[in-house]
Amino acid sequence: MKYNIALLRGDGIGPEIVDSAVLVLEKIGKKFGHDFCFTPYLIGGCAIDKTGEPLPAETIDGCLASDSVLLGAVGGPKWDNLSGDIRPEKALLGIRAALGLFTNLRPAKLYSSLKEASPLREDIVKEGFDLMIVRELTGGIYFGERGRREGKYGAEAYDTEAYSRMEIERIGRVAFETAMKRKKRLVSIDKANVLETSRLWREIMHELSADYPEVEYSDMLVDNAAMQLVKNPCQFDVIVTSNMFGDILSDEASQITGSIGMLASASLGNTKRGLYEPIHGSAPDIAGQNKANPIATVLSAAMMLRYSFDLKEEADCIEKAVDAVLENGFRTADLIGTGSAEAVSCSEMTEKILEMI
Ligand code: IPM
Ligand code: MG
């Protein structure tokens, strides 16, 4: 079978890590008899440099014509002082909206071989944790009305959050379905003691829970959730939350694994086409030095095989190869101090993963 994959390498370490994932996919293609075809498109700072815009129309069209999209990372100091509309980040929001990717899956798992890397105390993480954040991705305050105006005290700025029943229901269903495939526990996180959007959110999540009697469902306020994540992360299985709370909590969840260079993510909509990217950023300080950890992007490619192409065995094969490489003690610089004395480079890490496939 032939699969067309749009490659958005982006900025900083983006190109190196995406190229690692491409090598891994090519090896998987050979082993299992699939034909993965890659077409690169510009996004982020490199797109601004070449075309004047962070998300050229050609990139959107190319992604829409593809079976799935693999993204590295965007942004860097070079483009930090541009105005809101032509910042590299704008491209991320634009591509999510253009592809209708309303679901963002962000798994945060503590690898047993990397336990010492977690900033949490040993007694807190001794059981390990493996949670999945389901973040709403195309609504809420990120996409609400915003602007500047004259207010009571002079110039003021405002951003608004709106959520419709349709938007809450569809992300809620994804979350309940995700919980059904995991440990059947779901916590919905909101700020229903203050925000009206949260009150509607909570109401609808409760309605949905009636359709999923097997799922153990509860609500949690976002401030408490931020606390519970560092107090007892093992209590969580699946978390569902709004765009902004998900943005914040997913950074917290990834940090407590101690290995943000390992975490993948998937953004999905109503079709099989998804956008897969590492959770970490473009790390401009180490770009082009062959020091980056390619694992998060390689695992993002595995998520693509699982969610977009239904290639479960192939996805398992990549994940097992990564586990084996870590068990064998190989570490990129970001993971050092957690097992091996000397760091391997991005390309060496990629080589090790390829050997295990
Ligand atoms: C993320 C990022 C983006 C977001 C930014 C870069 C727009 O923080 O993917 O979590 O807030 O969604
Ligand atoms: Mg973020």
Side-chain angles (χ1 to χ4, degrees):
M1 178 102 175
K2 186 176 167 190
Y3 299 96
N4 290 310
I5 299 173
L7 290 185
L8 309 182
R9 290 192 176 88
D11 309 313
I13 57 171
E16 308 160 46
I17 54 181
V18 168
D19 289 344
S20 295
V22 165
L23 291 174
V24 168
L25 284 171
E26 280 172 345
K27 180 99 190 251
I28 288 284
K30 266 204 202 98
K31 178 169 168 147
F32 291 87
H34 307 297
D35 189 6
F36 297 114
C37 297
F38 303 97
T39 316
Y41 296 97
L42 294 169
I43 194 167
C46 59
I48 296 174
D49 288 349
K50 290 215 174 91
T51 72
E53 11 172 24
L55 182 62
E58 200 194 331
T59 299
I60 298 180
D61 294 342
C63 291
L64 283 169
S66 72
D67 296 315
S68 217
V69 183
L70 185 64
L71 172 79
V74 299
K78 184 175 171 196
W79 307 281
D80 267 352
N81 296 319
L82 297 174
S83 82
D85 267 357
I86 48 168
R87 290 180 62 90
E89 291 82 359
K90 186 82 187 171
L92 281 184
L93 302 183
I95 195 81
R96 289 169 186 169
L99 301 181
L101 306 172
F102 62 86
T103 300
N104 189 203
L105 299 179
R106 298 194 162 180
K109 167 175 151 184
L110 185 75
Y111 280 80
S112 54
S113 49
L114 296 175
K115 250 182 205 165
E116 321 86 86
S118 172
L120 296 184
R121 253 186 3 239
E122 204 192 321
D123 58 306
I124 297 176
V125 295
K126 68 171 180 300
E127 286 171 47
F129 61 87
D130 179 357
L131 60 93
M132 174 73 91
I133 297 187
V134 180
R135 169 190 177 194
E136 199 290 326
L137 201 60
T138 51
I141 199 165
Y142 271 59
F143 290 89
E145 197 193 318
R146 71 181 96 249
R148 301 275 174 114
R149 62 189 168 200
E150 265 319 292
K152 201 158 132 199
Y153 306 106
E156 64 179 31
Y158 64 97
D159 299 271
T160 51
E161 168 150 300
Y163 266 117
S164 64
R165 167 170 282 275
M166 182 280 288
E167 291 172 301
I168 300 170
E169 251 178 47
R170 69 180 180 183
I171 193 70
R173 291 226 176 264
V174 172
F176 277 99
E177 296 290 339
T178 305
M180 284 299 287
K181 289 189 208 130
R182 294 174 46 108
K183 292 187 206 126
K184 300 199 168 94
R185 281 190 283 124
L186 176 65
V187 180
S188 168
I189 292 171
D190 62 34
K191 187 71 185 171
N193 52 351
V194 178
L195 302 177
E196 199 55 33
T197 38
S198 283
R199 289 195 268 268
L200 179 64
W201 180 283
R202 193 176 275 212
E203 238 171 82
I204 293 172
M205 290 297 164
H206 277 250
E207 283 172 30
L208 287 177
S209 71
D211 291 347
Y212 298 88
E214 280 176 59
V215 175
E216 188 191 311
Y217 172 82
S218 57
D219 311 293
M220 195 179 275
L221 294 171
V222 63
D223 47 352
N224 184 29
M227 207 168 73
Q228 294 299 331
L229 268 173
V230 291
K231 200 173 156 210
N232 178 18
C234 315
Q235 70 185 286
F236 296 105
D237 176 24
V238 179
I239 286 173
V240 62
T241 192
S242 65
N243 204 341
M244 185 153 79
F245 295 160
D247 176 45
I248 299 166
L249 293 177
S250 64
D251 266 26
E252 187 186 359
S254 59
Q255 182 55 39
I256 58 174
T257 68
S259 44
I260 184 158
M262 307 265 310
L263 299 178
S265 78
S267 301
L268 306 166
N270 279 327
T271 69
K272 281 278 172 191
R273 187 192 313 108
L275 182 140
Y276 299 83
E277 60 178 311
I279 279 192
H280 62 71
S282 59
D285 52 320
I286 57 162
Q289 297 173 31
N290 197 18
K291 280 187 189 161
N293 183 350
I295 292 180
T297 316
V298 167
L299 292 175
S300 300
M303 284 186 96
M304 175 187 289
L305 299 183
R306 193 182 298 285
Y307 292 100
S308 282
F309 305 153
D310 291 316
L311 299 175
K312 183 176 175 304
E313 203 186 324
E314 291 81 343
D316 286 346
C317 176
I318 295 181
E319 286 163 6
K320 283 199 192 112
V322 168
D323 279 344
V325 169
L326 291 171
E327 289 296 335
N328 288 342
F330 295 104
R331 303 282 186 270
T332 41
D334 56 307
L335 302 173
I336 279 298
T338 63
S340 101
E342 226 178 294
V344 298
S345 67
C346 180
S347 51
E348 282 163 339
M349 180 55 99
T350 310
E351 236 359 272
K352 293 292 165 204
I353 297 170
L354 292 172
E355 278 167 25
M356 290 294 167
I357 290 175

